């Protein structure tokens, strides 16, 4: 079982985003992604708050296991980056959006021409469940 745990831990460490998008990501209204995880690997490119929380939780659990079973722990700096990312995503009401902080106004949803896909124009907060 140790090789499987080691591979899983290495996959998680490789998939964490290490840098922000290049070329002035703020000028094109992108949010910081340094320290975040995506749905898959780094090629996906879009940070996801719940994937980051779950991946960070797994890495912290791996850090409690012996090095012989899971390999080297996630660097402390990378843990801080993940926590910082999650804190920057948190809204004033304590919720977390999936992709990026809520910026748009609710009235923008009126511009959505697809009745079968409601609430997709702007980002919405979700309740963070701990445990």
């Amino acid at each position: 079982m140790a090789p499987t745990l080691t591979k899983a831990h290495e996959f998680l460490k490789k998939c964490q985003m290490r840098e922000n998008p290049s070329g002035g990501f703020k000028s094109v209204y992108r949010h910081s992604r340094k320290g975040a995880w995506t749905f898959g690997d780094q090629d996906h490119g879009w940070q996801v708050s719940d994937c980051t929380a779950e991946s960070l939780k797994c890495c912290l659990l791996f850090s409690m296991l012996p090095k012989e079973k899971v390999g080297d722990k996630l660097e402390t700096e990378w843990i801080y980056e993940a926590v910082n990312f999650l804190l920057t995503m948190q809204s004033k009401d304590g919720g977390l959006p999936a992709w990026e902080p809520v910026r748009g106004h609710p009235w923008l949803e009126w511009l959505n021409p697809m009745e079968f896909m409601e609430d997709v124009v702007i980002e919405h907060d979700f309740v963070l469940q701990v445990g």
Side-chain angles (χ1 to χ4, degrees), residues 59-70:
C59 287
L60 292 173
L61 289 171
F62 279 131
S63 72
M64 296 189 304
L65 297 173
K67 181 179 178 177
E68 301 80 39
K69 291 191 177 190
V70 295

Side-chain angles (χ1 to χ4, degrees), residues 1 5 21 38 43 45 48 60 65 76-77 85 93 103 121 125-127:
M1 185 145 132
L5 290 176
T38 66
D43 293 338
V48 183
L60 292 173
L65 297 173
T76 305
E77 181 182 345
F85 166 76
D93 64 1
R103 292 188 184 108
V121 175
D125 286 337
F126 299 94
V127 177

